[in-house]
Amino acid sequence: MLPFKHHQRLNRVVPIVVLLFTLTAFLFLYQHTQEQRRQDDIQRAQQEQLELAQQKEQKELEKQRYLEWIDQQRTVHEPILNDTKKIDQFDRLIKTHDIAIPSPLPPWTGTILSKKKKIVLFLFSDSIKKNIIPFNFSTIPDADEQLLQMSLGASIRADLLTTHEIKVDFRQITSQQRVYKSLYQYFDTLLAAQTDVLSDEKYKASWDLFISLEKQLYPWIHPYWENVFAINSVKNNTTTASDRGIVMCVGDSQFHFAIRTIQAIRTILQCDLPIEIFAIDDDDLSPAKRATLTELFKDVSVYNIADRINEEGTDFVGWALKPFAALASSFQQVILMDADVYFFQSPTTLFDDPGYKATGTLFFYDRTLFGDWTVGRHWLDSFLPSTSSLVPHLRWWNYLSAHEQESGVVVIDKKRSLLGLLATCKMNAKRERQISYDHAHGDKETFWIGYEMVQTPYAFVKSHGGVLGGLGDGGDPSRVCGNILHLDAYQKPYWWNGGLLRDKNKWPDRYMKFTHYAQGEDWDFDTSCIKETDQIHEFNNKEKGIAKLFMKADEEMKEFDLID
């Protein structure tokens, strides 16, 4: 047994040891509990952060979807050609095409959406960076909107909306159309976002100016369309086969060519694109000829332009009808072609052209004729305050040719180029064409100049008009003589106009030879021969075979020439 003294000491130590153990255990348990709580707090905070991040991501996704939805509802999407992400594609494109990159136009400034929308958009310009740029509501300027409320604004409005009773002022028309374009892009976004611009007072001044300009510039769209927005609004955003088609202008005098051209398109080139033919009115194309066209060919329709385009300010004759027909057609993507055009390739391939894909519009150059012609540039200088990147390089601008564009084939996507097409139509209206046709040969130059007036992008296939026919056929035996030929982006024979005859005016019964084609800048205008002989090519067997089929079909179609 332990001595009594040791027993007493043990009795005193044991409680202390137990207490220390208890304290240690409690401290360990407390620390463990605190650590667990800390870990729980960290996990809870992380979960909250994750949920907040997910909520933020969801809001951003919803916002992006909303922006995309609004963008899809817009009626015009002009291409953006300064996208640095596509610089490699652009470098390849400029090897085969001449691209008109627009000068940026000032945007219309004003409140875009109400505060209730939470998402506010400000549309600068389709040619500046991105189509739609998010902005904080408090940072959006409304200088233009405010200016319209002031006395200076009233003076500017008066200048925009009044015209000389006799003189047509292209400088004023350009100013009107550029302001109209800025307003159109402004309201296109608003209407896409389902904003009630008609009843909201903060849009009243701008909307009134927009509608007034539209009535001044394009009175002929009414009453078929309520306004310009309605021209594209019926189209959805997914391109289908029915959105693409061919448009021709045909009167009684063009019927002879049209029926042969359509026959070639349908049976030889095997192209099934729907075709819409426009005449001026019932007197322009006879009922018998209309019936022949619609009964002989599948998916061919005939319309009167007067049923869709108001005759007020138009008074259609000849070439002037063409851009209006493209506008009036039901197609979103239009191949506008003359009735005497023939293709070596299916017209459908035009929609695959890289220049068309990039800009929404494809043009072809005419042949080089009549150098030292100064009228064109001096006229442009008188009314264009700015031009695209292409104009300084054009022959017109550099006094090298009186002809720049051949309008026998024009390809236009109205979803991307509607405002340029409207400006072209304006140049072909009754009063305006009295001026434009004095400075250019008919409608031809009005296409690219109209686009320049509103700074809408466009593309030209790089090669100038060449010639197809035969060596010495009506001219020097060392030269290729015939009709004007146009090459595709890869320098292959594409199309020509003037029909199958060597010269439909001089020799009404003589076919071209279709053996050779040539390129060059020096033309003998009287014989329609290119003087240069260093770029002469022989047609391949396939191309010669296609030409023979055209001539055979032409003979077979002569029975229809007797139709009244």
Side-chain angles (χ1 to χ4, degrees):
M1 289 187 60
L2 291 171
F4 176 76
K5 189 174 182 179
H6 288 286
H7 184 74
Q8 284 183 322
R9 287 178 180 174
L10 185 60
N11 286 341
R12 287 197 298 270
V13 169
V14 168
I16 294 173
V17 171
V18 171
L19 178 61
L20 289 174
F21 177 80
T22 302
L23 288 173
T24 301
F26 176 78
L27 181 61
F28 174 79
L29 182 61
Y30 174 79
Q31 289 176 337
H32 177 74
T33 302
Q34 289 298 106
E35 179 62 23
Q36 186 63 44
R37 287 178 177 174
R38 192 175 71 83
Q39 291 296 329
D40 290 345
D41 289 343
I42 291 173
Q43 290 182 1
R44 189 161 37 267
Q46 289 175 340
Q47 183 64 30
E48 289 175 354
Q49 290 177 354
L50 179 61
E51 290 176 356
L52 286 172
Q54 290 175 340
Q55 291 175 5
K56 183 178 180 181
E57 184 179 351
Q58 182 63 29
K59 288 181 178 179
E60 286 296 322
L61 182 60
E62 291 176 357
K63 177 180 177 180
Q64 185 61 35
R65 286 175 178 170
Y66 180 60
L67 294 176
E68 290 174 355
W69 178 82
I70 290 177
D71 193 45
Q72 289 172 358
Q73 306 311 305
R74 291 168 57 217
T75 59
V76 173
H77 292 80
E78 284 201 355
I80 305 162
L81 301 179
N82 59 349
D83 189 345
T84 55
K85 295 179 181 178
K86 299 180 179 180
I87 191 166
D88 291 340
Q89 297 178 24
F90 190 78
D91 285 344
R92 290 194 296 271
L93 181 63
I94 60 177
K95 294 178 181 178
T96 56
H97 295 78
D98 290 332
I99 307 298
I101 301 175
S103 298
L105 299 182
W108 190 264
T109 55
T111 302
I112 297 298
L113 297 179
S114 66
K115 294 181 180 179
K116 294 179 182 179
K117 290 288 187 181
K118 294 184 180 179
I119 297 177
V120 179
L121 306 178
F122 184 72
L123 181 66
F124 269 86
S125 171
D126 280 342
S127 58
I128 301 180
K129 295 182 180 178
K130 297 182 179 180
N131 286 354
I132 295 179
I133 303 174
F135 265 76
N136 180 282
F137 188 89
S138 61
T139 66
I140 295 179
D142 58 355
D144 289 318
E145 192 83 34
Q146 291 182 8
L147 179 61
L148 289 178
Q149 315 289 339
M150 303 177 184
S151 58
L152 180 58
S155 176
I156 294 173
R157 179 186 169 91
D159 288 340
L160 284 170
L161 298 179
T162 55
T163 59
H164 195 281
E165 62 179 329
I166 299 176
K167 181 182 177 182
V168 176
D169 186 347
F170 268 75
R171 182 177 178 181
Q172 183 191 34
I173 293 173
T174 301
S175 297
Q176 289 173 321
Q177 291 191 125
R178 292 189 177 193
V179 172
Y180 179 86
K181 178 178 181 177
S182 296
L183 282 163
Y184 187 97
Q185 292 176 325
Y186 172 73
F187 282 115
D188 200 15
T189 302
L190 281 168
L191 294 172
Q194 300 181 342
T195 306
D196 187 357
V197 299
L198 298 179
S199 59
D200 196 325
E201 281 296 317
K202 63 176 168 284
Y203 305 116
K204 186 178 186 307
S206 295
W207 181 256
D208 286 349
L209 177 59
F210 173 75
I211 293 299
S212 297
L213 278 172
E214 185 170 280
K215 291 178 179 177
Q216 179 87 288
L217 289 167
Y218 318 122
W220 22 262
I221 70 165
H222 307 290
Y224 188 75
W225 293 289
E226 180 182 1
N227 51 45
V228 172
F229 293 112
I231 297 173
N232 281 344
S233 63
V234 296
K235 296 292 183 184
N236 59 38
N237 294 285
T238 302
T239 300
T240 62
S242 61
D243 288 324
R244 295 176 168 182
I246 294 171
V247 172
M248 294 183 189
C249 297
V250 180
D252 284 333
S253 60
Q254 291 85 41
F255 173 81
H256 166 89
F257 298 106
I259 195 169
R260 289 162 168 78
T261 296
I262 297 172
Q263 173 77 353
I265 289 172
R266 286 285 188 262
T267 63
I268 298 173
L269 299 176
Q270 297 292 303
C271 173
D272 60 0
L273 284 172
I275 298 174
E276 291 183 351
I277 292 173
F278 282 88
I280 296 174
D281 52 30
D282 290 339
D283 296 329
D284 189 33
L285 184 63
S286 73
K289 289 184 173 68
R290 292 169 188 257
T292 301
L293 290 168
T294 55
E295 293 170 6
L296 192 62
F297 304 110
K298 183 181 178 182
D299 288 332
V300 172
S301 306
V302 181
Y303 302 100
N304 289 336
I305 195 72
D307 293 335
R308 299 188 181 185
I309 302 294
N310 196 319
E311 291 181 306
E312 178 188 353
T314 52
D315 191 22
F316 293 115
V317 291
W319 301 307
L321 182 64
K322 290 169 56 177
F324 288 98
L327 181 68
S329 73
S330 63
F331 308 127
Q332 174 188 314
Q333 300 186 62
V334 180
I335 298 172
L336 177 65
M337 58 179 285
D338 288 350
D340 60 354
V341 164
Y342 280 84
F343 285 89
F344 281 111
Q345 306 171 38
S346 171
T348 309
T349 58
L350 287 163
F351 295 122
D352 298 322
D353 180 88
Y356 173 74
K357 286 184 173 182
T359 67
T361 297
L362 182 66
F363 296 147
F364 291 86
Y365 286 119
D366 201 346
R367 56 184 170 174
T368 303
L369 279 178
F370 312 129
D372 296 325
W373 190 75
T374 62
V375 174
R377 175 171 178 171
H378 294 169
W379 183 46
L380 295 183
D381 274 333
S382 73
F383 66 88
L384 288 180
S386 62
T387 69
S388 73
S389 60
L390 179 58
V391 169
H393 305 285
L394 294 177
R395 293 168 296 175
W396 246 52
W397 191 260
N398 292 288
Y399 312 129
L400 297 176
S401 178
H403 297 254
E404 194 66 66
Q405 181 178 351
E406 169 55 72
S407 63
V409 172
V410 171
V411 193
I412 295 174
D413 182 351
K414 291 187 282 189
K415 192 73 175 181
R416 294 186 284 169
S417 304
L418 177 62
L419 300 175
L421 176 58
L422 281 167
T424 298
C425 289
K426 182 68 174 175
M427 294 189 74
N428 287 272
K430 182 179 180 179
R431 295 183 71 227
E432 289 74 17
R433 68 174 178 258
Q434 294 174 10
I435 304 298
S436 57
Y437 288 16
D438 277 346
H439 295 84
H441 185 64
D443 66 297
K444 295 197 302 181
E445 315 302 346
T446 65
F447 284 90
W448 67 269
I449 295 176
Y451 276 58
E452 287 292 336
M453 292 176 80
V454 292
Q455 289 302 288
T456 293
Y458 57 92
F460 271 103
V461 174
K462 232 175 184 28
S463 57
H464 294 159
V467 64
L468 84 163
L471 289 171
D473 185 11
D476 188 304
S478 66
R479 301 171 181 172
V480 178
C481 307
N483 287 344
I484 303 173
L485 172 70
H486 302 277
L487 308 180
D488 66 12
Y490 310 103
Q491 300 300 292
K492 300 296 183 182
Y494 208 177
W495 65 273
W496 79 93
N497 58 353
L500 299 171
L501 302 179
R502 170 59 180 88
D503 187 320
K504 60 187 178 184
N505 298 313
K506 290 182 180 179
W507 302 300
D509 297 315
R510 177 179 162 189
Y511 289 123
M512 283 189 294
K513 290 185 176 180
F514 293 102
T515 59
H516 294 78
Y517 65 97
Q519 295 170 267
E521 303 299 320
D522 191 3
W523 280 76
D524 183 333
F525 181 73
D526 292 330
T527 60
S528 194
C529 306
I530 286 183
K531 296 179 182 179
E532 293 104 321
T533 59
D534 59 338
Q535 296 186 71
I536 294 176
H537 309 274
E538 185 174 356
F539 284 115
N540 61 36
N541 290 334
K542 181 180 178 181
E543 292 158 349
K544 290 177 181 178
I546 290 174
K548 289 179 180 178
L549 290 174
F550 288 157
M551 289 184 282
K552 180 181 178 182
D554 181 75
E555 292 291 340
E556 295 170 353
M557 299 297 289
K558 286 186 177 180
E559 62 178 289
F560 296 101
D561 294 341
L562 302 176
I563 296 175
D564 293 329

